[in-house]
Amino acid sequence: MCGICGKVLNEMGTATSLENVARMNDLLAHRGPDDAGIFSFETGALGHRRLSIIDLQTGGQPMFNEDGRIALIFNGEIYNYRTLREDLARRGHHFRTDSDTEAIVHLYEETGLDFARSLRGMFALALWDGARERLVLARDRVGKKPLFYADARDGFIFASELKALLADPGWDREIDPEAIALYFELGYIPAPHSAFKHVRKLPPGSLLVLEDGAVRIDRYWEIPTAPKWDYRDQGELVDDLHERLREAVRIRLMSDVPLGAFLSGGIDSSLVVALMAEMSSEPVRTFAIGFGEEAVNELPHARRVAEIFGTDHTEFTVTPDAAGLLPQLAWHLDEPFSDASALPTYHVARAAREHVTVALNGDGGDELFGGYYRLRSEYLAERLARIPRPFRSLLNSALAVGSGGAGRSGPARVRRLVAQSLIDFPERYAANHTEFTADQRRELVHPDLRARLPGGTLNESFLVGKLSLRPDLPPMDRAFLVEMDFYLSERLLVKADRMAMANGLEARSPLLDQELILWAARLPVSWKLKGTRTKHILRELAARYLPGDLVSRPKQGFSVPSDDWFRGGLREFAADLLLSPRAAESGFVSQPFVKRLYEEHQAGARHGKRLWSLVMLELWRRQFVERVDAPVRKSETG
């Protein structure tokens, strides 16, 4: 894992403007604390911060081809690099290191702009082709590694993190009102948008080429919607999944530094640990995080799994006192980001980094195999939708006047399911991903911000538009695409990357191996969801390793007790931040609405997730817009 940055000058650029690349590089030091490298050429410079994982002695960057005309800086890991090296050596290429990075340089020489298609791994990279005066940027297929870019007055700049761009004073720091409106809907800002109007994120699976003063972006990979596998025997299917996941874990054990795993006690991370334990001659180092609040504490489950596989286990408990870390989290997250589980993710990464440099995790299992209750609900609602609408309307009316029941009771769930089946699929599914409802957003968005939006109003839901793009696909296929393209790539993987790299830790995700993604994309939904059972086929595999109660345990995840915290340890912190004159003058949110939300929560309403979202927005605004509260100011200018 590393951090990369760079600049290519236009006709206005001078050599002195390249000094900003060194300052950009300094702001990425947490991503690569082991080494730094700068390569300057006539029209630009590349910067690299290194976290040493493979080839500790000779793997420094930038990396060059034989004649020095091609330079590469790289963030990530390529798991098939040895196979690539062998093939390239047979073709006459000469290697000076044992690094995966050098294989990419020669692969580009051999295949040109098609090189990214051959890479199996996670990466963000920048390549300078001096002979063609061409800059190439690329991101891995699902977007585990980030890459921001912008046009400055004197050239084109890019970096692994947005904060590094702050070291170059040449770009316009105008806020993007559409991006802030997207944040209120989604809780994150999806690529290619960024919080700043003139900064963009390279989308996953994409290649950017800057040549002859022009930029073009091509998508080299998309999640396939190919015909489904025709598995008839469940045992055969589980065997196939077993081998594919074992291979995905095996290639991610490649490391020249200590390696461990995050362990939540859920089936995804437990399966990864089980397979690691099979392949390791030493106890696997595992790390778990929990909370004092018993309802959301998974430590006992993780502890059981650790005992089953004899791991060397470390635990950490997060309390509301961790609020002191929130400004630091906002700084590392780069943009407004509402997922409160970033806090425990930061803690477990910090605990792991005291013992290992690489940690495997279970990310991707829910998106690939249907682990979310919203997917289960959609699966059932989509089947109900096959009943003629008039009959469903009658049933809905009958249930509405039927016997009562608690919100989580069986009758209440049936009523909700029937009511949901009467809503068109895009609106129904998008509602499951909404941070603030449409009505709440109309009250929340400050008039000044609304006036800067196209047409002066909030547009159609972003996800409704995305879910409507592929009417040729069944609703469930579209739902799985949204989970992968947006919730996974733009939320979960952003959290995982920023929190791990804030601690100089590399996180690897076997369940997001590209071959496993291709296989799962062709797996019929009926093997993922069976009735009310989520992740059916993955649970069948887990049953080969885990006791039945752990296999059937409902999904829990990093559910931060934000409702309790905002009535307890975070109460005054949130009030001081959100109800302050500085927040009122921001022009982002309507203060009366925020105040009402806060007061309703203190009176017993459950607005914890929304308050967290607003807290993170305000912390980000003070650091990146006002630029007065950033916890790290090293080398920042402009």
Side-chain angles (χ1 to χ4, degrees):
M1 282 307 152
C2 305
I4 64 173
C5 62
K7 186 168 190 173
V8 176
L9 302 174
N10 58 27
E11 62 274 9
M12 296 175 58
T14 65
T16 56
S17 65
L18 296 179
E19 296 174 1
N20 293 326
V21 174
R23 289 188 281 271
M24 292 165 67
N25 216 31
D26 285 347
L27 284 167
L28 298 172
H30 54 281
R31 297 186 72 94
D34 296 330
D35 195 13
I38 299 285
F39 168 62
S40 296
F41 47 97
E42 185 176 352
T43 56
L46 305 177
H48 184 265
R49 294 291 317 202
R50 188 182 185 209
L51 177 62
S52 302
I53 306 291
I54 301 292
D55 189 11
L56 305 185
Q57 300 303 316
T58 63
Q61 298 183 37
M63 196 76 68
F64 301 90
N65 69 333
E66 292 93 338
D67 62 14
R69 291 188 298 175
I70 297 174
L72 178 73
I73 49 176
F74 175 74
N75 168 27
E77 298 289 353
I78 303 302
Y79 302 116
N80 64 334
Y81 85 97
R82 294 192 185 280
T83 302
L84 293 173
R85 281 173 60 95
E86 291 171 4
D87 179 65
L88 290 163
R90 284 194 296 269
R91 295 172 183 268
H93 294 272
H94 299 285
F95 290 83
R96 293 187 292 267
T97 76
D98 190 38
S99 166
D100 56 351
T101 307
E102 190 177 10
I104 304 171
V105 177
H106 297 302
L107 184 63
Y108 170 80
E109 284 186 290
E110 190 69 31
T111 64
L113 295 175
D114 285 334
F115 74 98
R117 301 178 188 274
S118 300
L119 302 178
R120 184 178 184 178
M122 54 180 176
F123 57 87
L125 60 84
L127 181 148
W128 175 251
D129 185 337
R132 294 178 176 85
E133 294 193 344
R134 170 197 283 173
L135 176 71
V136 180
L137 306 182
R139 276 186 84 192
D140 64 72
R141 288 164 175 78
V142 294
K144 282 185 64 66
K145 297 291 100 186
L147 202 51
F148 294 81
Y149 65 92
D151 282 316
R153 287 188 300 270
D154 56 353
F156 178 91
I157 55 175
F158 65 89
S160 293
E161 297 183 5
L162 189 150
K163 69 179 67 64
L165 300 183
L166 296 176
D168 191 302
W171 56 277
D172 188 338
R173 297 193 174 101
E174 179 184 354
I175 295 298
D176 185 349
E178 289 186 80
I180 303 302
L182 283 171
Y183 174 71
F184 292 141
E185 178 185 350
L186 304 172
Y188 57 88
I189 298 173
H193 301 277
S194 90
F196 292 103
K197 191 171 185 178
H198 299 284
V199 175
R200 285 291 178 259
K201 296 193 283 268
L202 185 64
S206 295
L207 201 73
L208 180 150
V209 180
L210 172 63
E211 193 170 15
D212 298 326
V215 170
R216 74 175 189 272
I217 298 175
D218 298 313
R219 192 81 184 250
Y220 70 84
W221 189 84
E222 293 185 90
I223 297 170
T225 56
K228 303 302 182 185
W229 300 114
D230 186 22
Y231 282 99
R232 301 182 187 276
D233 180 78
Q234 180 168 287
E236 177 189 353
L237 175 57
V238 175
D239 288 343
D240 198 0
L241 172 59
H242 197 176
E243 288 306 310
R244 291 172 186 274
L245 184 55
R246 180 183 284 119
E247 170 67 5
V249 170
R250 184 190 66 78
I251 61 178
R252 283 164 178 79
L253 298 180
M254 172 184 72
S255 177
D256 293 333
V257 293
L259 180 147
F262 295 156
L263 179 60
S264 69
I267 64 171
D268 303 335
S269 63
S270 297
L271 267 173
V272 170
V273 168
L275 292 167
M276 291 175 69
E278 280 187 346
M279 301 176 200
S280 176
S281 59
E282 300 290 334
V284 177
R285 292 300 308 258
T286 55
F287 305 90
I289 205 80
F291 302 94
E293 292 81 358
E294 192 61 32
V296 293
N297 186 28
E298 286 200 292
L299 284 179
H301 306 297
R303 197 175 303 131
R304 279 188 66 196
V305 175
E307 291 170 356
I308 289 169
F309 299 110
T311 74
D312 184 354
H313 191 59
T314 300
E315 297 180 348
F316 187 89
T317 299
V318 182
T319 69
D321 297 337
L325 273 177
L326 293 188
Q328 189 172 344
L329 296 194
W331 176 251
H332 282 294
L333 286 163
D334 272 342
E335 295 184 289
F337 189 81
S338 72
D339 192 338
S341 65
L343 179 62
T345 303
Y346 177 89
H347 276 293
V348 74
R350 184 168 67 177
R353 188 61 177 92
E354 293 179 3
H355 305 277
V356 300
T357 311
V358 177
L360 276 63
N361 60 41
D363 288 353
D366 291 315
E367 292 78 18
L368 289 182
F369 295 100
Y372 295 119
Y373 294 134
R374 57 181 175 263
L375 283 166
R376 183 185 69 180
S377 296
E378 179 54 38
Y379 182 68
L380 298 172
E382 194 258 337
R383 272 148 182 73
L384 267 177
R386 298 172 184 175
I387 301 172
R389 188 179 185 91
F391 290 102
R392 283 181 283 133
S393 296
L394 285 172
L395 180 59
N396 186 52
S397 298
L399 289 170
V401 297
S403 60
R408 294 175 181 267
S409 69
R413 287 174 174 171
V414 172
R415 286 199 300 274
R416 284 197 298 271
L417 191 61
V418 173
Q420 287 172 0
S421 76
L422 294 168
I423 303 171
D424 288 343
F425 163 69
E427 288 78 11
R428 181 172 70 221
Y429 200 72
N432 288 310
H433 283 273
T434 298
E435 198 78 6
F436 290 90
T437 68
D439 288 342
Q440 288 172 333
R441 294 199 300 274
R442 280 189 282 272
E443 288 190 78
L444 171 64
V445 175
H446 194 282
D448 290 350
L449 184 67
R450 183 181 291 113
R452 296 167 59 190
L453 292 167
T457 186
L458 295 170
N459 293 327
E460 177 194 45
S461 161
F462 174 83
L463 282 183
V464 167
K466 295 299 180 183
L467 288 160
S468 302
L469 284 177
R470 295 294 305 272
D472 56 307
L473 294 177
M476 286 306 301
D477 283 2
R478 284 185 273 168
F480 272 98
L481 282 176
V482 161
E483 295 294 342
M484 290 292 293
D485 275 343
F486 297 101
Y487 191 78
L488 174 76
S489 294
E490 308 291 359
R491 185 167 181 147
L492 298 189
L493 295 184
V494 168
K495 173 188 67 180
D497 172 80
R498 304 306 193 279
M499 297 300 92
M501 295 311 300
N503 292 284
L505 179 78
E506 174 174 301
R508 297 178 179 176
S509 307
L511 283 157
L512 290 176
D513 184 83
Q514 68 196 53
E515 298 301 323
L516 193 58
I517 291 173
L518 291 170
W519 183 83
R522 295 188 59 187
L523 190 65
V525 174
S526 59
W527 285 113
K528 302 177 182 181
L529 298 160
K530 281 200 178 293
T532 60
R533 194 188 200 202
T534 59
K535 289 194 287 196
H536 168 72
I537 203 62
L538 205 60
R539 292 184 191 275
E540 289 299 306
L541 175 56
R544 297 183 176 183
Y545 291 96
L546 300 170
D549 62 317
L550 286 178
V551 172
S552 60
R553 190 170 69 85
K555 176 178 173 57
Q556 188 168 340
F558 275 164
S559 300
V560 174
S562 54
D563 285 331
D564 294 338
W565 285 7
F566 280 117
R567 281 190 283 268
L570 291 183
R571 178 176 177 172
E572 292 186 7
F573 176 83
D576 291 344
L577 195 72
L578 299 179
L579 307 182
S580 67
R582 285 174 68 183
E585 295 166 3
S586 71
F588 280 17
V589 296
S590 167
Q591 192 75 347
F593 176 82
V594 174
K595 184 178 181 181
R596 188 173 82 242
L597 199 75
Y598 178 84
E599 291 174 347
E600 287 177 359
H601 185 77
Q602 303 310 320
R606 299 174 65 86
H607 293 314
K609 291 183 178 179
R610 297 185 182 97
L611 290 172
W612 190 284
S613 176
L614 295 172
V615 162
M616 296 308 290
L617 173 66
E618 178 61 14
L619 288 171
W620 173 85
R621 190 192 66 80
R622 294 184 180 195
Q623 294 178 9
F624 285 81
V625 180
E626 289 186 352
R627 301 182 71 199
V628 295
D629 287 352
V632 180
R633 305 293 293 175
K634 184 178 178 181
S635 297
E636 185 181 335
T637 61

